[in-house]
Amino acid sequence: MAFPAAGEDDPRVDSFVRANNFHGVVVTARGGRITYARAFGMADIAAGRPATVDTIYGIASISKWLTSVTALKLVEQGRMTLETPISALLPEFRADTGARVKLVHLLSNTSGIPNGFIAAAKLDSSLVTTDLGTAESVRRFCQGDLVFEPGSRFDYAMTNWFLLVAIVERLTGKAFQDAMRAITLDPLGLRHTRADAAAPAAPGTALSYRTTEPPVIWPDPRTPVMAAGGGYFSNAGDLVRAAHGVFDLGFLRPESLAALRMIRVPEQDYSLGGRVRMLTIAGKPVQAAWETGRTAGFRSVLGHRYDDGSTVVILNNTGLSQKLLDDFADQMFGAAPRPA
């Protein structure tokens, strides 16, 4: 995606950057066409490498949204439905639990599957850098007793997304990242979006910082089975293209798009793999897809209005507050401040 010259400064952006020592990228678009694009601060402080509008950042949980799009494409192919129990997709999975948990529960973080990985990693930190493989990861970390009845509560458990890796691999016969590439990333033209082991150190990728003065790197090691839930890296151009393709250009069938827009956990505004945010613009309610990500020092917002196809992308590598970025994205949409 070609970016225009920055043009005139936007006083809203300039004020935000000054007030928050912002390092990162701010991009707006409408109908997939870039209307504003600027980068601020540094991608690599020690090397003196400034951020550019093409700089790649960790997008963390926006990975869940991309995974959900891939799952819906597999639904469209007739491989499964949102109501398919995981026991029908993974016959080796624990039968009593697998019969009660459906695909939709995984995608909406309402499965009740225990988060065995976090507990294990607290005892053995090497697990976050050890590739156990998908099957072994599911066996070790996902097969405990359910912690609540599926569909009754929200739990942002990483193990939901371990199971989605396993399901995508089983249905496609491909490694998860290869399946994502073939089903979603390449068809949408997301050539800068990747989650392989080399992604964090790839040319043009920002480093993650705990502090900038002095600069302290904030590592974020991840094993391959974590890709679906938070392992992808991308840049602003790819994220604009993804939102435009999915929400405006018919990449998904109408019934799939409706499923992606349906709020399933009202207290969290959560749909499938991401949120739906209600904005107040010119005194009227406006819904927007609201995909966010937070991991180590990376923070990201991908907002996309359903009514007019406007997009806001904000990417940061210095650990700013997610709420701060959400509120700034609201402002870029021209939305009224949300109640405290």
Side-chain angles (χ1 to χ4, degrees), residues 49-93:
R49 176 165 59 91
T52 74
V53 292
D54 295 315
T55 295
I56 295 166
Y57 294 79
I59 60 171
S61 286
I62 295 178
S63 307
K64 293 180 173 70
W65 176 68
L66 292 171
T67 300
S68 297
V69 171
T70 296
L72 288 168
K73 294 297 285 186
L74 290 170
V75 168
E76 292 177 0
Q77 293 172 14
R79 308 284 191 94
M80 57 184 174
T81 74
L82 288 174
E83 298 300 315
T84 301
I86 62 174
S87 57
L89 301 168
L90 302 171
E92 71 280 8
F93 192 77

Side-chain angles (χ1 to χ4, degrees), residues 28-170:
T28 64
R30 186 162 186 171
R33 183 182 180 88
I34 300 295
T35 55
Y36 176 90
R38 285 186 66 191
F40 305 88
M42 304 301 293
D44 183 337
I45 295 172
R49 176 165 59 91
T52 74
V53 292
D54 295 315
T55 295
I56 295 166
Y57 294 79
I59 60 171
S61 286
I62 295 178
S63 307
K64 293 180 173 70
W65 176 68
L66 292 171
T67 300
S68 297
V69 171
T70 296
L72 288 168
K73 294 297 285 186
L74 290 170
V75 168
E76 292 177 0
Q77 293 172 14
R79 308 284 191 94
M80 57 184 174
T81 74
L82 288 174
E83 298 300 315
T84 301
I86 62 174
S87 57
L89 301 168
L90 302 171
E92 71 280 8
F93 192 77
R94 177 175 167 174
D96 58 341
T97 297
R100 294 162 64 190
V101 176
K102 300 175 181 179
L103 176 65
V104 68
H105 296 139
L106 299 178
L107 293 170
S108 59
N109 294 306
T110 61
S111 70
I113 295 288
N115 199 347
F117 181 78
I118 295 299
K122 288 179 179 178
L123 298 174
D124 180 5
S125 61
S126 71
L127 287 174
V128 297
T129 57
T130 302
D131 183 5
L132 297 173
T134 304
E136 180 63 11
S137 296
V138 167
R139 187 190 71 79
R140 284 202 199 184
F141 307 125
C142 303
Q143 302 216 63
D145 294 338
L146 294 177
V147 295
F148 55 82
E149 184 63 25
S152 67
R153 283 171 44 193
F154 182 82
D155 181 16
Y156 211 55
M158 189 179 299
T159 39
N160 289 316
W161 303 89
F162 285 14
L163 286 164
L164 281 158
V165 170
I167 289 167
V168 170
E169 290 184 343
R170 178 61 57 86

